[in-house]
Amino acid sequence: NAGVTQTPKFRILKIGQSMTLQCTQDMNHNYMYWYRQDPGMGLKLIYYSVGAGITDKGEVPNGYNVSRSTTEDFPLRLELAAPSQTSVYFCASRNRGEGGNTIYFGEGSWLTVV
Amino acid sequence: QQPVQSPQAVILREGEDAVINCSSSKALYSVHWYRQKHGEAPVFLMILLKGGEQKGHDKISASFNEKKQQSSLYLTASQLSYSGTYFCGTVPYGGSQGNLIFGKGTKLSVKP
């Protein structure tokens, strides 16, 4: 059972470059999330989605874009990368409803912008 | 909307107990607790949905107060494996139930 799969695991970007972090889950979960975690800090919500075709901004959406064309996939796009976007990015998913609230995280993507 | 966690850090000897608090200025739909070890993804511990609820497994338990604005995580007879950073995640009333916001975390270190 793959769970939540993120790619790539490590990436170095130059300032101004763009890239997409891929995230896919095979648990048929409604909700999907992107968080960033700076060194020694907590998780900050970037964007989330409650279902295919629906996305909402979280706490720190500036500089990022997302789409949710299918239930399984929730890619995160970084446009014009900046050093402030150096962080660890976690994708996560959970199901809707009281019985399915366990959130499952991917293994993380370490991004450095130089 | 970010929940407030306290303390920021705790150092324990094996066998000692600890309490980590998570509070919000507004009523919450749910509170989630997670533990994260260095370099790894957070791992789910438990979720609380009802005011006055208490739940737990092994020697880790949690409570959710009646007003649903504060939750506490209790670690008893701590073990070395309990070391890590503990986060609470909250879903506030009145917004999307998908909106899950985390506190800044509590770093727990258990020494032999």
Side-chain angles (χ1 to χ4, degrees):
Chain A
N1 196 358
V4 179
T5 304
Q6 292 180 232
T7 57
K9 194 168 178 70
F10 300 98
R11 181 74 187 266
I12 298 174
L13 276 182
K14 293 186 178 178
I15 295 171
Q17 285 185 321
S18 300
M19 74 159 297
T20 299
L21 295 173
Q22 302 291 344
C23 176
T24 187
Q25 52 92 7
D26 62 359
M27 297 172 281
N28 203 33
H29 284 172
N30 306 104
Y31 297 162
M32 294 190 74
Y33 302 85
W34 275 106
Y35 292 92
R36 60 174 286 173
Q37 186 174 35
D38 297 335
M41 304 295 283
L43 297 149
K44 288 287 191 182
L45 181 62
I46 305 171
Y47 272 95
Y48 67 99
S49 168
V50 299
I54 306 169
T55 61
D56 280 296
K57 294 179 180 179
E59 301 168 277
V60 289
N62 290 344
Y64 306 94
N65 278 301
V66 293
S67 60
R68 184 95 182 270
S69 56
T70 66
T71 299
E72 294 78 22
D73 299 308
F74 191 43
L76 177 72
R77 177 85 177 158
L78 282 75
E79 305 281 2
L80 300 174
S84 60
Q85 292 179 304
T86 294
S87 192
V88 182
Y89 291 83
F90 288 102
C91 180
S93 74
R94 68 184 178 105
N95 217 349
R96 188 171 49 207
E98 290 189 15
N101 276 286
T102 302
I103 190 169
Y104 297 86
F105 284 89
E107 293 186 340
S109 295
W110 274 253
L111 177 67
T112 302
V113 182
V114 296
Chain B
Q1 278 191 346
Q2 184 180 39
V4 177
Q5 281 187 242
S6 63
Q8 288 184 317
V10 183
I11 300 175
L12 298 175
R13 292 285 182 191
E14 262 188 302
E16 291 182 337
D17 302 339
V19 180
I20 299 171
N21 297 305
C22 175
S23 63
S24 170
S25 58
K26 298 182 178 180
L28 301 167
Y29 177 77
S30 61
V31 175
H32 304 227
W33 285 98
Y34 296 83
R35 177 171 61 210
Q36 185 180 33
K37 302 234 180 221
H38 183 71
E40 299 179 5
V43 173
F44 174 81
L45 293 175
M46 65 190 81
I47 179 175
L48 297 105
L49 292 162
K50 298 181 174 64
E53 183 176 13
Q54 293 193 17
K55 62 166 58 173
H57 52 85
D58 199 11
K59 294 185 176 115
I60 300 176
S61 62
S63 64
F64 199 9
N65 75 343
E66 288 288 346
K67 288 187 176 180
K68 300 184 73 175
Q69 287 183 259
Q70 181 166 348
S71 177
S72 296
L73 184 72
Y74 307 93
L75 301 106
T76 58
S78 59
Q79 306 167 15
L80 295 176
S81 62
Y82 287 4
S83 293
T85 301
Y86 290 78
F87 293 98
C88 68
T90 57
V91 178
Y93 270 117
S96 169
Q97 290 185 17
N99 189 9
L100 178 60
I101 304 292
F102 284 89
K104 291 185 177 180
T106 297
K107 185 173 182 179
L108 179 71
S109 301
V110 181
K111 310 288 186 185

